[in-house]
C-alpha cells in the first residue's frame, strides 16, 4: 500500500484519513495468506514518521518501506522522472502481487511521486475520490500547467488494473 495519499493531503484531512482508515482495515482483516507492506515517501519526513507510528502495532518494521525522492528534487519533469525510478525500484524489490496507490491526484508542487506501471509483474489498484476538477475545469484547472498536471494524473489512473471509487457518484463520473 503506497500511503503517499496520507502524506501530501495530510493525515488529518479527508484523503489522508481515508487512506489511513482503508489501510488499517486491510491490516486488521489480513490473514496468514496475505503479507501486507506499507510504502511511504521519506522526503515528506513528518508524515512518514506519523504514519509509521500510526501503524506500528499492525505492521512490522520489516513490512514498512521508505523511499526518498531525488536529492536535488525541485519539481521539474526530470526530477520527477528520476524519483519515479527510485520509487519503482523499491516496489520492484518487494516483488508484490498488487500495489495499491491511495491517491493519484496530489498537488503537482508536492513531493508525492506515483506512477502506475503496466509493464511490471504486479497488478495495480488506485483509489479515486472524485473528479471535481474534471467536472468544473474553469474553477480548478484555470492554468495550462494545472490542466497538463491533471491530464497526467488521469492518464496514470487509467493505467490501473482496478480503480476503487469511494462512492457510486464517483463511479458514475468515472464511467
Amino acid at each position: 500500500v503506497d500511503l503517499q495519499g496520507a502524506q501530501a493531503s495530510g493525515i488529518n484531512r479527508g484523503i489522508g484519513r481515508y487512506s489511513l482508515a482503508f489501510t488499517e482495515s486491510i491490516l486488521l482483516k489480513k490473514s496468514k495468506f496475505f503479507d501486507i507492506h506499507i510504502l511511504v515517501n521519506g522526503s515528506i519526513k513528518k508524515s512518514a514518521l506519523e504514519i509509521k507510528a500510526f501503524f506500528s502495532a499492525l505492521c512490522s518494521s520489516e513490512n514498512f518501506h521508505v523511499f526518498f525522492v531525488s536529492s536535488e528534487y525541485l519539481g521539474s519533469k526530470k526530477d520527477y522522472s528520476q524519483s519515479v525510478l527510485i520509487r519503482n525500484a523499491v516496489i520492484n524489490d518487494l516483488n508484490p502481487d498488487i500495489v495499491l496507490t491511495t491517491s493519484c491526484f496530489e498537488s503537482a508542487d508536492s513531493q508525492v511521486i506515483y506512477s502506475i506501471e503496466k509493464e511490471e509483474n504486479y497488478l495495480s489498484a488506485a483509489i479515486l475520490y472524485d473528479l471535481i476538477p474534471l467536472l468544473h475545469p474553469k474553477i480548478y484547472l484555470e492554468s495550462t500547467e494545472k490542466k497538463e498536471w491533471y491530464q497526467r494524473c488521469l492518464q496514470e489512473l487509467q493505467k490501473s488494473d482496478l480503480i476503487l471509487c469511494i462512492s457510486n457518484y464517483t463511479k458514475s463520473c468515472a464511467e
Side-chain angles (χ1 to χ4, degrees), residues 24-43:
E24 182 180 38
S25 68
I26 291 170
L27 288 166
L28 288 170
K29 294 189 183 338
K30 76 175 185 175
S31 71
K32 63 182 178 180
F33 302 107
F34 299 105
D35 189 25
I36 310 297
H37 292 250
I38 291 175
L39 176 69
V40 296
N41 184 334
S43 299

Side-chain angles (χ1 to χ4, degrees), residues 31 58-59:
S31 71
L58 296 173
C59 181

